[in-house]
Structures are given as structure tokens and as C-alpha cells.
Amino acid sequence: MNICVIGTGYVGLVAGTCFADSGNDVICVDIDAKKIEKLNKGKIPIYEPGLEELVKRNTQDGRLKFTTDLSCAIKKSLICFIAVGTPPGEDGSADLKYVLEAASAIARAMDGYRIIVNKSTVPVGTANKVRAAVEGELAKLGKKYEFDVVSNPEFLKEGAAIDDFRKPDRVVIGTDSAHAAETMKELYSSFMRKTDRLIVMDVRSAEMTKYAANAMLATKISFMNEIANLCELVGADINNVRKGIGTDSRIGFEFLFPGVGYGGSCFPKDVQAIVRIADKHGYDMKVLKSVEDVNDRQKGVMVDKILKHFSSDAGSRKQEARKGIHDVRNQKQKKGLSLTGKVIGIWGLSFKPRTDDMREAPSITIINRLLDAGAKIKAHDPEAMDEARKLFGSRIEYMQDSYEVLKDANALVIITEWNEFRRPNFEKMKNLMKNHVIFDGRNIYDPVEMRNIGFTYYGIGRS
């Protein structure tokens, strides 16, 4: 099939590349000329395992093209995917400006029937707005062409997007057109060879499905962080609790790992958006508002432990660290809790492993609070160093090797659970660090083992 994908961000680039790799002719369009120039040279603007190789191969084979010429791309395509950004507005609701601009641009270039597919994460009712934008633009031009609008939300995990696209848990198609549904089934047929996981439903339900899925996953994370904080207060171990509830088939183990909060481009934005959708319809989403509050607070919990460890009351450090659950909304440091002169090493900056994405990353909140307390920060991340420089500039040191972070460090804080951090040389770490203190924000180490080795260890929800 002939396809164009409008927007070469994370979703658009992955979708366009995977469609091309399954034999379709794909044109990816973006208004950023420098970005398109780099893509045509095989330079990928994001880190996603396996993506660069696929882009280069399909570009060389002629199935994948990149251009700024939207009109030409639309004229050559039957299916037009809209995969532009929907950034949150000031009130947290999704901004549809770019989606509707893309819809109008499609209308201006149409010369016959088209299937217009919303791949961007959009509020319920957006398909109607897209249809109205296209119809309005066609009317202004004195043209009349048939078209269908389809909702096809993405469910890609950063760091595993290629596998997710090729072997999806499900593909959701929202449409009221039988013809569009059959065309979309044909497009996705190469990804459905073993089992048919394509679900056709009405457009509004498809639009809601994306938000509901991300809101549910965010809820599981915040719930486990709440339980972890309670575990510290009562002397339980969250890892044991996780095993105890995860074996229940009704619950499962996915997204039951406590930590320093969720981040990224999806969960924070989508939770805010669905709350604002409910507000506009006069409904108070109390659970999801609490999910947001818990996540904001959780980003400060590890900082609280660090401040209390280095407070003057050394005799009660551990007890205080267990008791204090910090409200991150109050960004002022408590009087007397200073980290001036302390060197804090950071392992992990991206919001999760296998990506360079730092949007809404817990590391941002944690590092800013540590800097506010007077600490000197030395940080390492396998992929997100360039993104970190954009955010922190010269306020922190960037180390190319994880062990360089530890030299003369008073403590190490683990924020992102990259595999290379899971089994380091602990003796080498002890030789490099000034104080043998680890704050493990992802519970990747065993507390008993760490203390036997000679580290003072703080985890999340573990005594």
C-alpha cells in the first residue's frame, strides 16, 4: 500500500519504518527540514534499539522516503497517518493544534478518496474535529471528495517499540466505515500471522482506549509506590509483597515495581488529559488525580532519604528515613538539611532504560532538589547525556563512564535501572567512593547483600 505519515517523532518514525519494512511504500513528512535531511542520511533523532538499522535498510531499498513536501506525499498515498505531537496545554488538556493543521493540509492536497488515520494520542471526539476540519477546507476550495477518518492509537513502549509494533498485544481500529476497516485490516495483516489481535470498534471507544490503558498502568505504578511507602513505616518488604500479590492471576506482575515515580512522554500527559476531559464533562476523576499527586510526591521520596542521612542527627538517620515521606509540592528544603560540600553520584537520567527520553523524568526533580540543597552532582547515563545537557547545562558534571561518577562521591543514587548498573564491581565501587552509601531508587540490589558487602543501603519500601 501507499502510505504517508505526517510527523517524524517517536510514533511516526517507528510506525512509518515498520510499515515500510513489511513491504509498503511509505513517505514520512515533517516540517523540520534539518531533521528530514538527517533522516535521509540515516541519522536517527531518537534512541530506539533496532530503529536505525531498519531506517537505513528500508531507505536503501526505496520503500521509505523522508520529505518536507506534504502535498506530494498525500497525492501519492491512500492512507494518511497523522502522528504529530499533542502537547499538554496550560490546564493539562491535549493541544490539538498540530493535528487539525495536518488534517487541513491533507484536505488541501486531496485529489480523491483518502483514509485519514489519527495515530496521535487524542481526546475523545477528535475524529469529529478532524472530519470537520477536512470538510471545511474542502468547502473553501470548492472541492468534494470522499474520505474516512480512523482512530488507530499506538501502544508502543519506548525501548521495545520495534517488537511492540511487529508483535502487538492488540491493534485497535476505530471507524464507522466497513471499507476503511477492511483496508486497515489488510495493512496490519502482516503483523497478525499467528493470531488475529486486531480489534475494530467505534471511533470514540478507540480514542478512549489509549487514555484508559495508560491511566491504568500509571495507576498501578502509583499504587505500588503508596504500598512501598507504607511498607517502610510498618517494617514490611515491598519486594515480598509484590511477589505475594503478583502471583494472583487477576493482578499479575506487570507494572508492580516501586520506584521514584513514572515519567516519559505518555503517562504524565495522558493522565492529565483524561482528568481534564472528565472535568469538561462535569466528572471528578478522583482516582487519577490521586495518581498524579502520588507520582509528584514519589519523585521527592529518595531526596528526603538523602537529606536525612546527611543531617546532623546521625544517630537517627535510618529511623527518620523510614518515617519521612516527602511532599514534593513543597520544594523548599527543611531548615538545617543541607548537602553543601557533598558529592552525589547519579546513575541513570532517562525516565526508563533503553531510551534517551528525559521528558518528565524523575531524575529532573531529584537532581534539581539536590542542587538546591547545595550538592555537587556527577551523573552518567548510557544514552541520555545529550538530553541532560539541554536541561542542566553546566550545573552538573557528565561522566562518560559509570565508575567515574563514584570517585570521591559521598553517595550514589540509582534513578534508572539500566542493565549495566545491575551487577557492577562492588569492591571497585567501594575503593572509589568516599562514603559507601547507596540510594537505590529502583530496588535493583538486595539490601542484605549490600550491607554484608559494606554499604549503607536505602531502597524503596524495604527495611
Side-chain angles (χ1 to χ4, degrees):
M1 290 189 183
N2 294 318
I3 301 166
C4 79
V5 179
I6 304 171
T8 58
Y10 185 84
V11 173
L13 188 55
V14 170
T17 302
C18 288
F19 280 134
D21 198 54
S22 64
N24 298 285
D25 291 317
V26 180
I27 304 174
C28 290
V29 187
D30 204 290
I31 61 173
D32 188 336
K34 290 183 178 179
K35 190 178 190 182
I36 291 298
E37 183 180 356
K38 289 180 179 178
L39 285 166
N40 279 320
K41 293 179 180 178
K43 297 180 180 179
I44 310 302
I46 59 173
Y47 173 74
E48 179 61 38
L51 181 59
E52 184 173 354
E53 177 187 345
L54 283 184
V55 169
K56 288 181 178 178
R57 184 172 74 219
N58 285 281
T59 301
Q60 290 170 358
D61 291 347
R63 290 188 298 271
L64 180 62
K65 295 181 173 65
F66 300 98
T67 183
T68 58
D69 191 341
L70 178 58
S71 179
C72 180
I74 292 167
K75 290 182 187 305
K76 291 181 178 180
S77 304
L78 169 64
I79 306 175
C80 302
F81 281 87
I82 298 176
V84 297
T86 53
E90 291 184 6
D91 64 349
S93 60
D95 186 347
L96 297 178
K97 174 184 176 182
Y98 303 114
V99 171
L100 298 179
E101 284 180 354
S104 296
I106 291 170
R108 288 192 292 272
M110 282 172 62
D111 56 4
Y113 174 77
R114 295 293 186 278
I115 297 174
I116 302 170
V117 183
N118 276 333
K119 199 69 174 170
S120 303
T121 300
V122 294
V124 177
T126 298
N128 289 343
K129 293 181 179 180
V130 167
R131 178 175 293 280
V134 173
E135 289 175 344
E137 198 67 33
L138 288 174
K140 284 193 291 185
L141 296 170
K143 298 179 180 179
K144 190 172 183 179
Y145 296 117
E146 294 294 319
F147 67 94
D148 286 308
V149 179
V150 173
S151 175
N152 175 215
E154 56 85 16
F155 301 99
L156 306 178
K157 298 186 294 291
E158 292 192 39
I162 303 300
D163 279 346
D164 284 348
F165 201 98
R166 287 171 161 175
K167 305 170 187 176
D169 292 328
R170 76 290 204 197
V171 172
V172 172
I173 303 297
T175 182
D176 56 5
S177 164
H179 173 72
E182 287 304 313
T183 304
M184 295 299 291
K185 284 181 181 180
E186 183 181 348
L187 176 62
Y188 277 103
S189 61
S190 62
F191 307 109
M192 302 286 156
R193 290 177 180 172
K194 291 186 177 179
T195 56
D196 187 356
R197 298 175 297 279
L198 193 143
I199 306 167
V200 178
M201 61 181 71
D202 64 278
V203 175
R204 286 177 174 262
S205 295
E207 291 170 333
M208 178 59 83
T209 297
K210 168 65 175 182
Y211 280 124
N214 280 351
M216 173 61 79
L217 296 175
T219 300
K220 291 183 75 172
I221 293 171
S222 283
F223 174 80
M224 284 304 291
N225 283 332
E226 286 272 72
I227 296 297
N229 294 337
L230 181 59
C231 281
E232 289 191 28
L233 296 174
V234 301
D237 187 324
I238 188 60
N239 195 45
N240 291 331
V241 174
R242 182 183 65 83
K243 293 175 183 176
I245 66 174
T247 48
D248 187 327
S249 60
R250 297 169 300 175
I251 298 172
F253 283 103
E254 293 295 322
F255 286 83
L256 291 190
F257 291 93
V260 289
Y262 60 76
S265 63
C266 292
F267 289 3
K269 177 173 68 71
D270 292 353
V271 170
Q272 288 180 13
I274 197 170
V275 168
R276 299 302 173 265
I277 292 169
D279 286 344
K280 289 178 180 178
H281 286 80
Y283 187 76
D284 186 11
M285 298 283 281
K286 293 182 179 180
V287 170
L288 291 184
K289 286 179 179 178
S290 295
V291 167
E292 271 193 291
D293 289 342
V294 169
N295 193 61
D296 288 343
R297 183 180 66 190
Q298 196 68 17
K299 292 179 181 181
V301 165
M302 193 54 77
V303 180
D304 239 23
K305 295 175 187 287
I306 296 167
L307 288 167
K308 286 169 182 173
H309 174 85
F310 288 109
S311 69
S312 57
D313 188 6
S316 60
R317 286 174 183 165
K318 189 71 176 181
Q319 183 179 359
E320 288 182 357
R322 288 177 183 167
K323 288 182 179 178
I325 303 299
H326 175 78
D327 187 343
V328 78
R329 289 170 295 184
N330 179 9
Q331 293 296 329
K332 295 182 179 179
Q333 308 295 354
K334 294 180 181 179
K335 186 178 180 180
L337 297 181
S338 171
L339 297 175
T340 301
K342 303 298 182 185
V343 178
I344 307 296
I346 303 289
W347 278 3
L349 297 166
S350 56
F351 86 94
K352 62 179 285 187
R354 293 170 63 84
T355 181
D356 61 353
D357 195 343
M358 286 189 63
R359 285 173 288 184
E360 302 289 335
S363 62
I364 299 172
T365 299
I366 293 170
I367 290 174
N368 279 328
R369 284 201 60 212
L370 293 174
L371 290 171
D372 288 344
K376 177 183 177 182
I377 303 296
K378 295 162 62 175
H380 171 75
D381 187 282
E383 295 295 337
M385 301 286 268
D386 289 341
E387 294 301 313
R389 286 187 178 91
K390 297 175 187 176
L391 293 166
F392 298 113
S394 60
R395 293 189 296 148
I396 70 174
E397 284 190 64
Y398 307 92
M399 317 308 291
Q400 294 303 314
D401 181 85
S402 59
Y403 289 105
E404 291 178 18
V405 166
L406 305 177
K407 187 176 181 181
D408 298 324
N410 297 102
L412 169 66
V413 183
I414 299 169
I415 300 178
T416 315
E417 65 277 29
W418 286 90
N419 279 338
E420 69 179 63
F421 302 152
R422 291 185 178 275
R423 295 305 304 175
N425 185 328
F426 291 116
E427 286 303 317
K428 182 177 180 179
M429 291 172 65
K430 287 173 64 178
N431 290 334
L432 289 169
M433 296 176 72
K434 186 174 182 180
N435 301 116
H436 305 149
V437 185
I438 294 179
F439 295 90
D440 185 357
R442 297 297 181 180
N443 286 354
I444 63 176
Y445 302 141
D446 179 77
V448 175
E449 179 185 358
M450 296 311 297
R451 289 165 191 147
N452 288 340
I453 293 172
F455 284 96
T456 299
Y457 176 85
Y458 298 88
I460 298 288
R462 310 175 84 176
S463 56

